[in-house]
Amino acid sequence: MAPKSREPFDAKIGGLSHDGRGITRIDGKVWFIEGALPGEKVIVRPIRGKRSYSLGIAETILDPSASRIEPRCTAFGVCGGCALQHLEYPEQLAFKKTSVTETLGAAGVKVPQDIVQLQTEPWSYRRRARLGARLVPKKGGVLVGFRERNKSFITPLSNCPVIHPSVDPVLAKIPQLIGQLSIPDRIPQIEVAAGENGTALVFRHLSPLTESDLSSLKQFAIQEGLLIYTQAKGPETAIPLDASATPELFYTLQAFDLRIWFSVTQFVQVNAAVNELLVELAVDWLAPNDKDRILDLFCGLGNFSLALARRAGQVLGVEGDESLVRKAAENASANGINNARFQTRDLFSDSVLDWDPGHYSQVLVDPPRSGAIDVLKNISSGLKPDRIAYVSCNPATLARDAAYLTGPGGYRLTRLAVADMFPHTAHIESATLFARSA
Ligand SMILES: C[S@@+](CC[C@H](N)C(=O)[O-])C[C@H]1O[C@@H](n2cnc3c(N)ncnc32)[C@H](O)[C@@H]1O
């Protein structure tokens, strides 16, 4: 039935959108329906209409999908952290695989038949998270949690089944801790960083903390066995409350005998176990030997570069964030690696062709969501490596870039993997391998 004004209406759901909403078409217009799954008949409450599409919420599920399950988290549906907890896990994996293959296919990229799926335990995986905090007296005090879906409100979370297990039991206690500080309305966010040797909470504060605040935070840290940092301004201003008793955090890449150190506000891949599989896969695909020179672009703190350096002759890692480049170099020396170098460059404005890094047999790229089209144009026309491994967190830009590489770029897509780095969310991580056509 076609919706009139903002009256609820019933609809049959066709597919799932890239962000995990059910899709239906009414009178030629696309509707994205939150909480609805493919095949379901639902009653939709309209939320917003745009020129080219409209948004609604599945208010009642009239005919549920066989794949629908009870979400584990009571905040599911409100909290913006997860989008797919109502879909059984194997179906989430299937949805992500289909999303990647369809997006590549729609861009005209020929997809290999065998697709690798990387997955591990789908709960308690988030070792990095940014929680929002807000004092809302009419809701009873300080709220701490992820933002609500499509809104800037905070979803108060007393537990979270996807966050690292060292943080989950503490979540419910953070509001009270902030509530007893002198500036409960000046703490907008708490970052979580969990390493193998400890978990840090980084309290961003917009006004100075008093001695008594610092002592409350210290007491909390001791009581909960956590490391607490305060952050007055940008990420580089994060300082531990007790520097002498605060170790730097690390994670390991066991297959490469690597211990990778990181600062609490630095980028690390969110899911430690899936990251390990992804690094192993990329190294396996590039299969370097001691004659090979490998270029790792968007290398961060050396996650892929250092693993590659264990097998390759030489590795050059390039990254835009100077503090990550410094950390990558420190990580190399801490792990006894002397065949990896690191450089700071803005890869979007500084063309690979201008700084001419020399010959590289293999290149790995792991760009941000915007992808790396110009970088890949320059690599394929200038450096012409035999193989390019591309790790992507956005199927849309991957498809655009892959279409270039497999078209004018002169490469074939030979391997594809979909890695479930963010279970229960609609985020899709994938890896592809391109081989230079003869
Ligand atoms: C998806 S992360 C990958 C990091 C690393 N490969 C890893 O596995 O930990 C993307 C990286 O791109 C870097 N980056 C973003 N914009 C950049 C730019 N314009 N030039 C160089 N690096 C950039 C970010 O700092 C970040 O480290």
Side-chain angles (χ1 to χ4, degrees), residues 267 269 298-300 303-304 319-321 324 345-348 366-368:
F267 177 91
Q269 303 277 0
F298 307 95
C299 70
N303 186 43
F304 290 98
E319 157 65 45
D321 178 332
L324 284 171
R345 283 184 194 279
D346 180 342
L347 287 163
F348 294 142
D366 181 13

Side-chain angles (χ1 to χ4, degrees), residues 104-412:
L104 284 167
V109 178
K110 193 163 174 287
V111 175
Q113 275 208 317
D114 289 332
I115 299 171
V116 179
Q117 285 212 278
L118 303 181
Q119 72 195 74
T120 58
E121 166 58 41
W123 300 103
S124 309
Y125 65 84
R126 276 202 86 104
R127 67 173 163 185
R128 286 287 274 123
R130 183 172 291 170
L131 300 166
R134 194 167 298 163
L135 176 65
V136 187
K138 66 174 187 235
K139 292 222 165 156
V142 176
L143 311 181
V144 172
F146 294 110
R147 310 231 168 251
E148 285 188 6
R149 275 193 200 176
N150 315 315
K151 297 200 185 117
S152 66
F153 301 135
I154 306 275
T155 320
L157 292 179
S158 53
N159 67 302
C160 170
V162 297
I163 210 156
H164 194 273
S166 58
V167 181
D168 188 30
V170 179
L171 274 178
K173 303 177 187 171
I174 302 177
Q176 203 195 345
L177 169 68
I178 297 178
Q180 77 192 47
L181 302 179
S182 64
I183 49 164
D185 56 340
R186 306 291 289 159
I187 310 282
Q189 115 194 347
I190 302 121
E191 280 199 68
V192 172
E196 288 171 32
N197 55 337
T199 293
L201 297 183
V202 185
F203 286 77
R204 173 84 174 93
H205 57 100
L206 303 174
S207 301
L209 292 157
T210 63
E211 279 306 315
S212 149
D213 293 339
L214 294 174
S215 124
S216 302
L217 289 169
K218 258 184 205 148
Q219 216 180 326
F220 188 79
I222 294 166
Q223 198 179 301
E224 302 302 334
L226 294 168
L227 307 167
I228 290 196
Y229 284 67
T230 58
Q231 183 189 328
K233 289 201 162 71
E236 68 292 346
T237 64
I239 45 169
L241 275 182
D242 184 354
S244 62
T246 305
E248 185 164 42
L249 299 179
F250 70 81
Y251 65 89
T252 52
L253 293 176
Q254 270 187 20
F256 303 97
D257 190 21
L258 285 172
R259 181 173 276 196
I260 307 223
W261 301 89
F262 63 100
S263 303
V264 288
T265 53
Q266 281 181 327
F267 177 91
V268 290
Q269 303 277 0
V270 159
N271 185 323
V274 171
N275 178 54
E276 252 188 286
L277 296 180
L278 196 55
V279 173
E280 284 174 34
L281 183 85
V283 174
D284 186 43
W285 280 358
L286 290 175
N289 63 42
D290 58 6
K291 306 271 179 318
D292 286 322
R293 296 181 74 227
I294 303 197
L295 184 61
D296 177 13
L297 300 180
F298 307 95
C299 70
L301 39 59
N303 186 43
F304 290 98
S305 336
L306 297 172
L308 288 161
R310 289 282 196 222
R311 310 270 193 274
Q314 277 185 41
V315 176
L316 173 62
V318 182
E319 157 65 45
D321 178 332
E322 206 173 334
S323 82
L324 284 171
V325 171
R326 266 200 310 276
K327 189 61 71 183
E330 284 166 26
N331 276 321
S333 78
N335 284 282
I337 289 176
N338 50 25
N339 60 339
R341 291 180 300 125
F342 296 92
Q343 286 182 10
T344 312
R345 283 184 194 279
D346 180 342
L347 287 163
F348 294 142
S349 61
D350 215 358
S351 163
V352 176
L353 299 181
D354 294 340
W355 49 274
D356 186 16
H359 177 71
Y360 286 88
S361 45
Q362 288 110 310
V363 173
L364 185 141
V365 293
D366 181 13
R369 288 185 65 74
S370 55
I373 186 74
D374 291 331
V375 175
L376 289 165
K377 281 182 182 170
N378 292 333
I379 288 172
S380 56
S381 65
L383 304 189
K384 299 188 169 80
D386 300 336
R387 265 170 283 175
I388 301 173
Y390 185 150
V391 178
S392 158
C393 56
N394 183 352
T397 52
L398 168 69
R400 177 202 62 196
D401 298 354
Y404 177 83
L405 279 178
T406 55
Y411 284 78
R412 281 175 301 116

Side-chain angles (χ1 to χ4, degrees), residues 63-145:
D63 189 4
S65 157
S67 305
R68 175 175 284 277
I69 53 167
E70 196 53 41
R72 191 178 279 202
C73 179
T74 50
F76 181 73
V78 178
C79 176
C82 290
L84 296 173
Q85 278 191 32
H86 58 325
L87 180 60
E88 61 184 5
Y89 190 59
E91 287 302 314
Q92 292 186 26
L93 296 173
F95 157 66
K96 292 184 181 185
K97 181 170 152 184
T98 310
S99 270
V100 176
T101 54
E102 284 184 359
T103 312
L104 284 167
V109 178
K110 193 163 174 287
V111 175
Q113 275 208 317
D114 289 332
I115 299 171
V116 179
Q117 285 212 278
L118 303 181
Q119 72 195 74
T120 58
E121 166 58 41
W123 300 103
S124 309
Y125 65 84
R126 276 202 86 104
R127 67 173 163 185
R128 286 287 274 123
R130 183 172 291 170
L131 300 166
R134 194 167 298 163
L135 176 65
V136 187
K138 66 174 187 235
K139 292 222 165 156
V142 176
L143 311 181
V144 172

